[in-house]
Amino acid sequence: MQDERKARAGNRVAPKGSSFGKKQRAVYLAVIFILLFVNIVLLCKMQVQMKHIHNTLAAVLNELELYQGNGASGQDAQRDMTGEGGESGYPAAGRDLAGNDAAGQITAEYEAAGLSSIVSGTAEGNSASNGVALDDMVQTPEIDYVSLCGLSEVEVPVRRSRSEALVRLKELAKEDEVISAIYKNNRLYSDNMITALANNPEMADFVAGYLDAPAKASGTGLTEAEKEQDYPLFLQWDPRWGYAEYGDNSNIGLAGCGPVCVSMALYYLLRDESITPDKIAEYSMKNGYYVSGTGTAWALLTDVPAEYGVEVSQPGVSEQTMKKALDQGDIIICSMRPGDFTARGHFIVIYGYDENGFQVNDPNCVARSRESWLFEQIGKQIKHIWVFSEKELDTVTQVEYHK
């Protein structure tokens, strides 16, 4: 009997469950790994979203402080309204990009320009019992972006790789909190954005506001202060239009010097407030004037002015020719070689001259726009010029233009 049991045991086939169990464990491990990876990705996205929410709440809290300003001076209330500017792209009223106290200067500029200032935060002014509606009580002054962002000096632009640009930003970050924050989160910004900021620290607030900005123009138009100037400077990285799409996965702030210069030249001659940089940039993109990998086609500088009844000539580059055109009230746009204004290629506007040299509006730099430039300095850097002249329009052309 025992022998029979042993024989039966010896004839049994080994179960196949052992290999099947190993396969099951492998599948379970793969599923667990995938779930862990998905969770990590979701956590990263949530972290980015929480950062954006934090920045937005900080901006809202800054503005809410305006309404809690019992006993605050009018200057303090104005500083609260302008805020830190991280969300809007505008810098704080209390400091310029060099870290200097600018509140007093800005207040004086608002008063000189006749702009309404924010009411002081006195108990009487903020009391709900006085019956004054909050919207009627608080009036926001227009922002003079050129004054707020301009530096006294900007270094000559140079071509840098991303790693070289980050070395430069690390140096600038020591003296500028905005650039410091950008440097710490530099992975969120494109190579072009980083290299542009390294060449021009004036762009710091524009770059800081980029992550939360819509890719379109604000549509707010020109300010009253700009309308009072004969030759206002339009900056390509002004938040009113700088974030609008232009070029190869880029925007006006980085690639729109051509449309911005055309906008300036036409506005100087026609005083047409509708010809803002974003309008010219949009027209350029829709009609093929932006050449991928190259930039704005020169044809834009002749074809668009013709649509507005402005005559454009292209004389040779000489000091005498340029001064003669300016004496006649014309406006000049120059295509620039690498040098004082650009490391690659650039457009600038020349609107006048004095004993110190030519007066320039550089759409990429406030500091260079505040200088006068001798022909000996910039003559060899000018590749080509276009002279914009307002011509007399016949009746038919006038009707078509106003249409």
Side-chain angles (χ1 to χ4, degrees), residues 246-265:
Y246 187 75
D248 300 317
N249 297 316
S250 188
N251 53 44
I252 295 175
L254 297 178
C257 57
V260 176
C261 283
V262 172
S263 174
M264 280 193 281

Side-chain angles (χ1 to χ4, degrees), residues 1-109:
M1 193 68 176
Q2 291 179 352
D3 292 339
E4 186 178 350
R5 289 176 181 175
K6 290 180 180 179
R8 290 177 181 176
N11 291 332
R12 288 176 184 170
V13 179
K16 298 181 180 180
S18 59
S19 61
F20 179 73
K22 290 180 180 179
K23 290 181 180 180
Q24 278 188 321
R25 285 194 294 271
V27 171
Y28 291 154
L29 288 173
V31 171
I32 291 172
F33 177 79
I34 292 172
L35 291 175
L36 286 174
F37 178 77
V38 171
N39 285 333
I40 291 173
V41 172
L42 291 176
L43 285 173
C44 291
K45 288 185 177 180
M46 288 179 62
Q47 188 175 15
V48 173
Q49 291 175 351
M50 290 298 295
K51 179 182 176 182
H52 288 174
I53 293 172
H54 173 76
N55 291 338
T56 303
L57 288 175
V60 171
L61 290 173
N62 282 338
E63 293 195 8
L64 286 175
E65 289 179 3
L66 172 66
Y67 311 126
Q68 302 172 354
N70 290 341
S73 66
Q75 184 179 11
D76 289 339
Q78 184 170 0
R79 188 179 296 114
D80 288 340
M81 175 56 95
T82 52
E84 290 297 326
E87 297 300 318
S88 67
Y90 295 114
R95 59 182 291 275
D96 60 19
L97 291 181
N100 300 318
D101 183 9
Q105 178 184 354
I106 295 168
T107 303
E109 289 174 356

Side-chain angles (χ1 to χ4, degrees), residues 123-334:
E124 179 182 359
N126 287 326
S127 174
S129 63
N130 61 12
V132 179
L134 188 60
D135 292 339
D136 296 333
M137 183 180 68
V138 179
Q139 296 180 354
T140 306
E142 293 180 325
I143 301 296
D144 184 352
Y145 196 66
V146 172
S147 296
L148 292 176
C149 289
L151 297 177
S152 59
E153 183 179 1
V154 171
E155 294 182 357
V156 174
V158 297
R159 297 185 68 165
R160 293 183 175 95
S161 65
R162 182 184 181 91
S163 58
E164 291 171 335
L166 288 174
V167 171
R168 174 60 178 154
L169 291 186
K170 186 176 181 180
E171 297 174 358
L172 295 171
K174 296 176 182 177
E175 299 181 357
D176 192 291
E177 294 179 358
V178 177
I179 295 180
S180 177
I182 295 169
Y183 175 76
K184 291 177 182 177
N185 298 282
N186 68 83
R187 66 188 182 283
L188 302 176
Y189 302 93
S190 68
D191 292 351
N192 289 339
M193 189 78 73
I194 292 297
T195 54
L197 178 59
N199 271 333
N200 186 6
E202 291 178 337
M203 297 177 61
D205 286 273
F206 171 80
V207 176
Y210 167 74
L211 297 178
D212 299 314
K216 60 182 180 180
S218 68
T220 55
L222 305 183
T223 67
E224 293 302 320
E226 286 171 328
K227 296 173 189 177
E228 293 176 359
Q229 301 174 43
D230 291 330
Y231 307 104
L233 170 61
F234 297 167
L235 292 168
Q236 57 193 79
W237 33 269
D238 187 311
R240 286 173 292 179
W241 46 71
Y243 299 116
E245 296 178 349
Y246 187 75
D248 300 317
N249 297 316
S250 188
N251 53 44
I252 295 175
L254 297 178
C257 57
V260 176
C261 283
V262 172
S263 174
M264 280 193 281
L266 293 179
Y267 179 71
Y268 299 163
L269 293 175
L270 305 176
R271 310 307 290 186
D272 187 337
E273 301 169 18
S274 68
I275 314 177
T276 49
D278 54 294
K279 301 297 183 184
I280 304 296
E282 182 181 10
Y283 181 88
S284 176
M285 291 296 291
K286 285 184 177 179
N287 293 277
Y289 287 100
Y290 185 88
V291 181
S292 180
T294 301
T296 302
W298 285 6
L300 180 76
L301 280 72
T302 55
D303 294 355
V304 170
E307 297 286 336
Y308 291 92
V310 171
E311 190 175 68
V312 180
S313 59
Q314 303 178 58
V317 179
S318 73
E319 183 175 10
Q320 182 179 3
T321 298
M322 294 168 64
K323 286 185 175 179
K324 181 179 179 181
L326 295 171
D327 288 339
Q328 295 172 350
D330 299 338
I331 300 298
I332 300 172
I333 293 181
C334 303

